Each structure stands twice: as structure tokens, then as C-alpha cells.
Amino acid sequence: MEQKGIMLSGIKPSGELTLGSYLGAIKNWAERADQFECYYFMADLHAITVRQKPADLRRRTLEQLAQYIACGLDPERNTLFIQSHVPQHAELGWVLNCYAMFGELSRMTQFKDKSAKNADNINGGLFTYPSLMAADILLYQPDYVPVGEDQKQHVELTRTIARRFNNLYGEVFKMPEPYVPKVGARIMSLTDPTSKMSKSEDADTGRVCLMDRPEDIMRAFKRAVTDSENTIRFDRENKPGISNLMTIYSAATGRSYEEITREFDGRGYGVFKTAVGESVVELLRPIREQSERLLADKGYLESVYRAGAEKAGHIANKTLRKVYKKVGFVAR
Ligand code: ATP
Ligand code: LTN
């Protein structure tokens, strides 16, 4: 039998999943289950690099699992687990810290952004976040890591660390490739279309969450920032608001930018914003409804994350033992 490729990704349960998390990452995951052996997890170890309320973190981790499933990740065909349930992540994370350079970690855009936003809590975990992420990835020897644009730099650093390790000890790690969607790789805030739509920002109309009600979604789109030109064409530089709405509409309906320009020719921004809002309401409706159903069945969710941790732990352990041997640790 032909060996399937491997795919792996994760999201921090640091806030409500947004339209950006869905279009930039999860949608891509769900479309690939047939071709790949897939591992997806809730990155709770990463979430605490920014201060979290314990009860919120616990609730959001389970909600995120329900949302993964509702977005189309069938637990029978995808291994879904909670990062902290597989201790090999933290263990390999430590080892890889010793192969990631201070200069490399200092150059990470996410570290600089998060440091600016959390000036009173620039902790060691925030700095070494990418070595833990490299461990998440390399433990499973994946071919592809489906992520949004903002995470590409971390996957590149993972490759650098893997290459360094392999050069010293032989071919231990497979080189993973980032897999970034063509449309939707970077969804911007609706109120500030020059910054990324982000789940941990204060809730305002700038983001749309997977669990938002239709009326909230419509309100958010009606308030979306545009420009004064009143023509619908794609120009990220000069028309970031309209271009962002076009990206969302394109990702939600499958239409190209040319088709969208033609469809709304001479029809004004109000009509366009309503159409985008409606397309997102329909896109998210089944996800919200299914998540709500799943969240009512905690026993089922528990069975999914337990089975996931067991399967993931088995693979992770194999890689970790190999690494420990290579670096010279005495076998237990
Ligand atoms: P936080 O605000 O806590 O940093 P976030 O909203 O930036 O979180 P992440 O957990 O960092 O979300 O990202 C989850 C996945 O979704 C990543 O693969 C990321 O690249 C992707 N993603 C997040 N936001 C967007 C966005 N606005 N557009 C496209 N992809 C996104
Ligand atoms: N850093 C990612 C979340 C993340 C991840 C990973 C993504 C943690 N570990 C491994 C892909 C592979 C983020 O902030 N979105």
C-alpha cells in the first residue's frame, strides 16, 4: 500500500477562533484528510506564553476541539489532541532550544509583536516559542504544515533547526514545508484592514468569530472600514478594506476577484458589504450549530482527545527516543 504523506498543525486556545483562523488554516486542513495522515492539536502550552485565565483556557480548549470537528475534521480520520497531553512536545522543545540561536529567536516577527503588546510580560516562553513549535512539528515528521501567512516564518525556522540537527547527527528529522492557502492566507481586521484579524485582541467589530450570531456578523460587516472611491477592485495597497472584503467573499464563495468586480460593478459598497456578510453567515452557520451540539456532549469530546493523545504520543515517543539517543542521553 502506498504510504500517505503527513500533515500537522495547531492553534493556541488563546481566544475565540476567528474567520481568519478558519480561512487561513482550518479550512485547508479539512480539505486534505483523504490524501494525508493528519494531526491537529490545541496548542495550550503555547497559549500560556501570554497570561490566560485558567478557567477560560480550559473552556476554550474544549470549544476549540468541538470547532475543529465542526469545521470538518472527522476524528476517525484525523488525530485530534491537546498539546499538553503529549509530554514529548515539552521534552523535545527543551532539546531544540539548545539548537535554536538567540539571534534567530530575536528576529521572529511574532515575538516582536507580542513583546510590544505585552510589555509587562516578555517571558522566556514567549522568546523560545518557536523551538516548542519546531518540536510540535518535527515529532511527527510531517510533509506539510498548513498555516496562515503569519506562521510561515516559524516553519522556516523549524527547517533551520532541523537542518542544523541533521547536519550534526544524521537524518533524524524530515524537512517540513509550510502550506499556505492562495486565498485567505491573511484576513485583516474589519475595522483596521492594515492589521491581522486576531483572536486574542479585544472583542470589537474588527473580528468575526466562528460562534458569532448572524446578526453580529452582519453588524460587523456593515461597519467594515472601506475607502471613498466607491469601486470594487482588488488593490491591497490603496484599498486595503475593500481588498480584504474581496478576499473573504472569494474564500467564502469560490469566486475570483474578476468575477466579484464584475458582479458588483456600479452597485456601491453598501450592497457589497451586505453580500459579504451574508456569505459569511452561511459559511459559519453549520459550524456554529454543529459546535454547539458537540459541546453538549463532553463525554464524546473526552473520548476524542484521549484517543488522539494516545495515538500522537506513540509517534512522538518514537522520534523523541531517537533524538535522546543521538544527543547522548543514557537510555532508561
Ligand atoms: P493570537 O491573537 O492569540 O496570537 P491568532 O488569532 O493570531 O492568535 P493563531 O493561533 O496565531 O491565531 O493562528 C492560528 C492559525 O490561523 C495559524 O495557522 C495562523 O496563521 C492562522 N491565522 C490566524 N489569524 C489569521 C488571519 N487573520 N488570516 C489568516 N490566517 C490566520
Ligand atoms: N504558532 C502557531 C500555533 C502552533 C503551530 C504549531 C502551528 C503551535 N505549534 C505547530 C503549526 C504547527 C500560531 O500561533 N498559530
Side-chain angles (χ1 to χ4, degrees):
M1 203 174 73
E2 202 189 324
Q3 189 97 23
K4 272 188 175 180
I6 297 175
M7 226 165 186
L8 164 135
S9 197
I11 298 184
K12 310 179 285 279
S14 52
E16 307 292 323
L17 290 182
T18 70
L19 185 61
S21 346
Y22 179 65
L23 296 179
I26 310 173
K27 183 166 177 262
N28 242 320
W29 307 354
E31 284 165 2
R32 304 285 150 187
D34 288 342
Q35 295 134 291
F36 292 89
E37 170 85 36
C38 299
Y39 297 85
Y40 299 115
F41 59 96
M42 282 58 75
D44 54 352
L45 297 174
H46 276 112
I48 62 164
T49 55
V50 170
R51 207 64 78 220
Q52 305 290 335
K53 287 203 186 101
D56 287 350
L57 181 60
R58 203 170 289 122
R59 174 181 52 80
R60 277 200 228 104
T61 304
L62 287 183
E63 281 174 5
Q64 199 169 304
L65 173 61
Q67 289 167 7
Y68 279 3
I69 301 171
C71 287
L73 301 177
D74 176 356
E76 301 289 321
R77 298 196 303 153
N78 298 271
T79 303
L80 308 178
F81 66 99
I82 298 174
Q83 187 186 26
S84 64
H85 289 184
V86 183
Q88 290 83 359
H89 289 242
E91 293 176 87
L92 182 62
W94 171 258
V95 174
L96 296 185
N97 255 332
C98 305
Y99 298 82
M101 298 301 138
F102 182 87
E104 289 165 347
L105 295 169
S106 312
R107 280 193 289 278
M108 293 295 112
T109 310
Q110 181 171 307
F111 172 64
K112 292 190 229 167
D113 283 355
K114 297 276 174 200
S115 303
K117 283 186 189 147
N118 303 280
D120 57 346
N121 184 22
I122 307 178
N123 59 69
L126 196 61
F127 187 65
T128 58
Y129 182 117
S131 342
L132 178 59
M133 178 157 162
D136 298 338
I137 297 172
L138 297 174
L139 278 174
Y140 301 90
Q141 314 276 9
D143 298 273
Y144 294 104
V145 182
V147 285
E149 186 73 43
D150 60 296
Q151 291 301 314
K152 227 173 131 179
Q153 193 187 32
H154 284 157
V155 183
E156 297 296 344
L157 180 56
T158 299
R159 290 169 59 90
T160 304
I161 295 172
R163 203 173 298 115
R164 183 171 294 137
F165 197 94
N166 285 353
N167 282 340
L168 287 165
Y169 306 105
E171 289 301 304
V172 177
F173 297 126
K174 182 162 183 175
M175 281 299 153
E177 296 277 348
Y179 180 78
V180 180
K182 286 201 182 70
V183 182
R186 203 171 177 80
I187 302 296
M188 311 309 271
S189 154
L190 298 183
T191 46
D192 173 10
T194 57
S195 67
K196 184 181 96 131
M197 183 183 285
S198 173
K199 67 175 135 58
S200 64
E201 304 283 297
D202 287 340
D204 64 2
T205 49
R207 63 168 203 212
V208 170
C209 297
L210 298 191
M211 302 304 274
D212 283 352
R213 308 258 135 202
E215 53 278 20
D216 300 324
I217 298 174
M218 292 308 292
R219 195 174 321 114
F221 279 99
K222 284 200 177 118
R223 289 198 198 149
V225 167
T226 50
D227 54 64
S228 56
E229 194 192 50
N230 226 25
T231 49
I232 291 154
R233 61 183 174 85
F234 196 84
D235 177 349
R236 230 188 230 302
E237 194 117 312
N238 300 304
K239 295 168 71 67
I242 285 295
S243 302
N244 189 37
L245 291 176
M246 289 179 79
T247 301
I248 294 171
Y249 193 62
S250 172
T253 62
R255 281 173 225 175
S256 68
Y257 294 142
E258 293 77 42
E259 285 170 318
I260 299 170
T261 297
R262 241 178 289 128
E263 182 182 350
F264 292 95
D265 185 30
R267 294 177 68 193
Y269 287 173
V271 176
F272 181 50
K273 285 187 195 180
T274 304
V276 182
E278 283 166 355
S279 73
V280 171
V281 167
E282 290 321 313
L283 181 73
L284 300 186
R285 188 193 302 282
I287 297 175
R288 175 172 50 84
E289 290 175 353
Q290 169 76 339
S291 303
E292 283 167 355
R293 276 194 291 274
L294 289 164
L295 274 168
D297 190 352
K298 294 281 185 311
Y300 171 70
L301 293 179
E302 189 180 320
S303 71
V304 170
Y305 68 67
R306 280 193 177 192
E310 181 138 342
K311 175 148 184 234
H314 183 71
I315 310 284
N317 202 40
K318 270 201 204 157
T319 309
L320 186 71
R321 293 303 134 205
K322 204 162 160 190
V323 168
Y324 274 13
K325 190 167 174 195
K326 291 285 186 186
V327 299
F329 294 165
V330 172
R332 222 167 68 173

